[in-house]
Amino acid sequence: MRAVLVTGGAGFIGSHFVKRLLGCEDISQVTVLDALTYAGHIENLGEAFLDPKLDFVEGNILDSAVVDRLVERHSHVVHFAAESHVDRSFYEAGAFLSTNVLGTRTLLNAASRLGVDKFVHVSTDEVYGPLLSGAADESAPLRPSVPYAASKAASDLVALSYHQTYGVPVCVTRSSNNYGPCQHPEKIIPLFVTRLLKGEQVTLHGSGQHMRNWLHVEDNCTGIELVLRAGTPGQIYNIGGGTDFTTKELTGHLLRLCGVDWDSVVHVPDRRCNDIRYAMTWDKITSLGYRPERDFEEGLTETVDWYRRNPDRWAPLMRNSHAARPTVALTPAGGEAHDH
Ligand code: NAD
């Protein structure tokens, strides 16, 4: 591999991925294209920001002039940039369609005209929608139920169509919920942890039986790197193997790690758009050598410690974020929302 363009590299997963790439001897150049929205922070890159192999470009994936200029200079593209927070998609769906679908198209247009060796489109298990039983493999129908998931499903289909129509060497990855350091405090784990560390209460919807698979961000990055190096163009790869927990079980772990009890939890009625369960298989990516390594208890403890040690990183974000607002009136079916 030579030069890799990483969109959204100042976000949560993208910044972990960039640090990993910078450590690879066969990669001579990593360029981050990031619009630095409320979700993107140069601080997420830490010392990697100063690495001579890294170029940082502040720009929008919808800007075809910037995108063309960058794609032309890179052999590989890994596309993370997106509006990623489910709750925001309830009241800003247009931004999700614009960035996630049209932004992806802008990148694909450049890749098809200028040529790349591989284009990895990073997506989510939420495109499969809720499953009461069983697990979705890569050929399962897409049944997204919230605007975020619908915009990701649409972008997956557009990306795959560019492989079929124009021969762009696209691979799609779909992972379960990620956790780890540097995640924006609007997402459930950092939202709960930061509130609990401040001595505030957290809200649990309904009986807290919503089931999610929690994958350490480094395990997702391992899968994405394998797909970048060895994935077959035109193929989708689910990346899972994290730990399945109900929201109530997850809350119990977070209470324990933050040293508080169930008095810190407020029970609120469930909301209609809270998908009951996501589940997928991930056998296919094992053929590329994928195996998740991170132990959940250890990874979660380390994550909570990161938030405990870095209040300067998250406290200012909470003041400006949806996570800090009472959102009952903003969500379609009532109740404060939170998802990955
Ligand atoms: P994030 O919100 O932390 O980061 C998104 C990044 O994209 C930010 O740095 C932001 O500034 C940038 N960005 C947003 N709009 C942009 C635009 N128009 N142009 C350029 N940059 C823009 O998201 P994340 O959690 O790191 O997720 C990264 C990708 O992984 C997303 O595509 C998301 O759908 C997918 N994903 C996330 C999870 C998860 O649990 N977080 C799980 C599965 C899939």
Side-chain angles (χ1 to χ4, degrees):
M1 277 204 295
R2 300 187 308 275
V4 184
L5 174 62
V6 180
T7 72
F12 167 47
I13 308 174
S15 61
H16 283 270
F17 191 73
V18 165
K19 290 173 201 163
R20 163 185 296 255
L21 286 190
L22 289 171
C24 298
E25 283 180 7
D26 63 341
I27 294 175
S28 54
Q29 169 74 44
V30 178
T31 301
V32 170
L33 171 62
D34 197 298
L36 296 181
T37 68
Y38 79 95
H41 302 281
I42 283 173
E43 292 80 0
N44 286 345
L45 290 163
E47 289 177 6
F49 187 68
L50 302 174
D51 191 305
K53 283 204 296 191
L54 182 80
D55 261 354
F56 185 91
V57 177
E58 182 176 346
N60 200 307
I61 57 168
L62 286 155
D63 182 342
S64 57
V66 174
V67 166
D68 283 2
R69 182 164 58 80
L70 292 178
V71 169
E72 190 169 25
R73 300 203 317 246
H74 293 81
S75 54
H76 295 71
V77 178
V78 185
H79 174 36
F80 292 94
E83 291 291 344
S84 69
H85 189 37
V86 172
D87 301 17
R88 283 182 185 266
S89 77
F90 298 153
Y91 58 96
E92 287 176 18
F96 282 70
L97 294 174
S98 176
T99 292
N100 298 1
V101 184
L102 299 180
T104 300
R105 184 198 63 168
T106 307
L107 286 159
L108 290 161
N109 275 343
S112 95
R113 274 189 291 104
L114 302 165
V116 291
D117 293 343
K118 183 72 71 66
F119 186 115
V120 179
H121 173 67
V122 177
S123 190
T124 166
D125 63 348
E126 296 195 28
V127 299
Y128 298 119
L131 291 175
L132 287 178
S133 61
D137 67 13
E138 288 82 351
S139 64
L142 303 185
R143 294 198 176 100
S145 60
V146 292
Y148 161 70
S151 71
K152 293 298 291 186
S155 66
D156 291 11
L157 295 177
V158 173
L160 292 166
S161 81
Y162 269 65
H163 171 69
Q164 283 290 100
T165 310
Y166 306 109
V168 179
V170 168
C171 290
V172 173
T173 67
R174 293 177 180 153
S175 85
S176 50
N177 281 14
N178 285 211
Y179 72 96
C182 300
Q183 191 170 26
H184 194 284
E186 66 188 354
K187 308 287 169 59
I188 185 168
I189 288 181
L191 175 65
F192 277 25
V193 170
T194 53
R195 282 190 175 167
L196 295 172
L197 291 177
K198 286 202 308 176
E200 294 176 3
Q201 289 184 307
V202 297
T203 53
L204 194 62
H205 292 276
S207 56
Q209 294 309 308
H210 309 96
M211 182 66 80
R212 300 289 183 267
N213 180 267
W214 291 99
L215 182 69
H216 195 279
V217 61
E218 289 299 342
D219 282 329
N220 189 19
C221 289
T222 298
I224 294 168
E225 184 185 350
L226 285 167
V227 171
L228 177 66
R229 291 181 180 280
T232 304
Q235 294 296 309
I236 300 162
Y237 295 90
N238 290 347
I239 306 178
T243 310
D244 291 312
F245 279 126
T246 63
T247 314
K248 189 170 181 182
E249 289 167 335
L250 177 69
T251 304
H253 283 288
L254 297 176
L255 293 173
R256 177 173 48 79
L257 291 172
C258 293
V260 292
D261 60 26
W262 284 94
D263 289 344
S264 297
V265 179
V266 179
H267 294 268
V268 296
D270 204 0
R271 53 195 176 123
R272 197 178 53 202
C273 49
N274 206 357
D275 288 343
I276 188 67
R277 176 176 173 269
Y278 299 125
M280 62 177 181
T281 62
W282 45 280
D283 304 338
K284 185 171 170 182
I285 195 171
T286 59
S287 68
L288 303 183
Y290 172 78
R291 198 167 60 88
E293 302 278 347
R294 297 302 307 266
D295 172 69
F296 181 77
E297 179 66 28
E298 190 184 282
L300 195 64
T301 304
E302 187 189 284
T303 302
V304 172
D305 282 348
W306 187 88
Y307 284 94
R308 190 178 276 118
R309 282 187 281 104
N310 293 283
D312 53 315
R313 293 285 302 281
W314 51 262
L317 305 182
M318 290 194 80
R319 279 195 288 279
N320 303 324
S321 119
H322 170 62
R325 291 188 238 156
T327 56
V328 175
L330 296 174
T331 57
E336 183 183 17
H338 41 66
D339 217 318
H340 86 229

